[in-house]
Each structure stands twice: as structure tokens, then as C-alpha cells.
Amino acid sequence: MAPVGPEAAALLAALHAEAFAPADRWSAQAIGLLVALPGHFALLGVVGGEPAGFALGRVAAGEAEVLTLAVRPAARRTGCGAALMRALMAEAANRGAREMFLEVSAQNAPARALYAGLGAAEAGRRRRYYPDGSDALVLRLPLSPCGAAPGA
Ligand SMILES: CC(C)(COP(=O)(O)OP(=O)(O)OC[C@H]1O[C@@H](n2cnc3c(N)ncnc32)[C@H](O)[C@@H]1OP(=O)(O)O)[C@@H](O)C(=O)NCCC(=O)NCCS
């Protein structure tokens, strides 16, 4: 997993566009602005020498948040998403966070399975949060003080 900065915004936006439906895609400009903000960080996953996905997170006041996680369809089920999440958790812990939060659609079975495998627990639910009417689950991941994801 390689840390990347705003200079990688176009690549990250292309990966995001492959992973999400058109209405949910983020522009290169938006990603570039996010990555440049204090406390924000992006990690790029590479499979077979090709960019396969990325994760974007932030840490503030001892708490971390996953802003997005995207893996290209062609690279899925190879462990890339889980590896990106573990690296994001380790980076957040190294930056002083003790827990990490994220939102996921109740209907997003692949992502929910991935997060459950990392030890995520439901911390809340936002009813009809997404445009398709689905609920958002707020999940909490505990972070190990030594910077490693539990079970890594
Ligand atoms: C969710 C996503 C990041 C998973 O990426 P991935 O690289 O395929 O995930 P991994 O290969 O690391 O899978 C890890 C585990 O997650 C679970 N999982 C992943 N995809 C799954 C699927 N389609 N169905 C069921 N379980 C799945 C499995 O438990 C899997 O372990 P296994 O392969 O040993 O069974 C990817 O599907 C994606 O980019 N989806 C679109 C964007 C998205 O939903 N992002 C998350 C928003 S909160």
C-alpha cells in the first residue's frame, strides 16, 4: 500500500468511477482537495503492477474516519479491499487514533462482509440516508495502539 497525495487525484478519481455508480462518483478536484486537507491521507493498492483501488481516511482528535474505499471490479475478491482497510487502520493508529468509524449502506453486502471480517461493530443507523432510500449503518472499528489492525 503506497501513500499518495493530491498529485494522484486523477488516478484516484478514475478508480472511484470504476467502483461506484455514476451518481456516487467523486471528481478529481474533490478528491484532490480532500487529500490535501490536514489529517487526511490516501493509500493506493496495486495488483500485478496496476493500480487496483484506494482508501481515503482522516484522523482528528484521536478518532479516525473512512471517507471512501474503492476497488476496481477486475481486482475484487483478491484481498485488495481488506489489505487497504488494514493499512488505513494501521496508518490511523500511527496518527494517534484509537477507533475508526465509517458509514456503509445496509444494502452493500460485499462491504459489510469485509468490515465484519475486520471486527467492525454497528454503532448507529441513519434511516433512509442514501438517495435510494437505504439506511446507512455507522460502524466502529477498534484500532490497536501499536498500529496494527486486530487480527493482522
Ligand atoms: C467492498 C469492496 C471494497 C471490497 O473489495 P475487495 O477487494 O473485493 O475485497 P476483498 O477481496 O479484500 O474481500 C475481503 C472479504 O470481504 C468479503 N467480501 C468482499 N466482496 C464480497 C462479495 N462480493 N460478497 C460477499 N463477501 C464479500 C469477504 O468476506 C472477503 O473475504 P474472502 O474473499 O476471503 O471471502 C469492493 O467490492 C468495492 O470497491 N465495492 C464498491 C465500492 C464500495 O462499496 N465501497 C465501500 C463503501 S462503504
Side-chain angles (χ1 to χ4, degrees), residues 46-52:
V46 176
V47 175
E50 295 293 326

Side-chain angles (χ1 to χ4, degrees), residues 53-134:
F54 76 101
L56 178 56
R58 70 176 163 212
V59 169
E63 209 172 82
E65 186 182 355
V66 182
L67 299 182
T68 195
L69 170 69
V71 175
R72 299 174 66 187
R76 289 182 188 165
R77 298 311 289 267
T78 63
C80 188
L84 279 165
M85 276 301 300
R86 289 189 187 284
L88 202 73
M89 293 165 75
E91 178 64 22
N94 286 334
R95 289 170 180 245
R98 290 292 167 262
E99 53 186 356
M100 180 174 251
F101 291 88
L102 61 93
E103 282 165 1
V104 61
S105 166
Q107 293 180 12
N108 190 343
R112 288 184 64 183
L114 189 165
Y115 299 137
L118 293 170
E122 193 172 324
R125 179 182 283 254
R126 304 189 210 281
R127 301 271 173 206
R128 302 185 64 78
Y129 181 79
Y130 293 106
D132 68 359
S134 64

Side-chain angles (χ1 to χ4, degrees), residues 25-44:
R25 288 174 187 163
W26 293 1
S27 69
Q29 187 187 17
I31 291 174
L33 288 171
L34 272 177
V35 177
L37 288 172
H40 290 59
F41 49 99
L43 300 174
L44 179 69

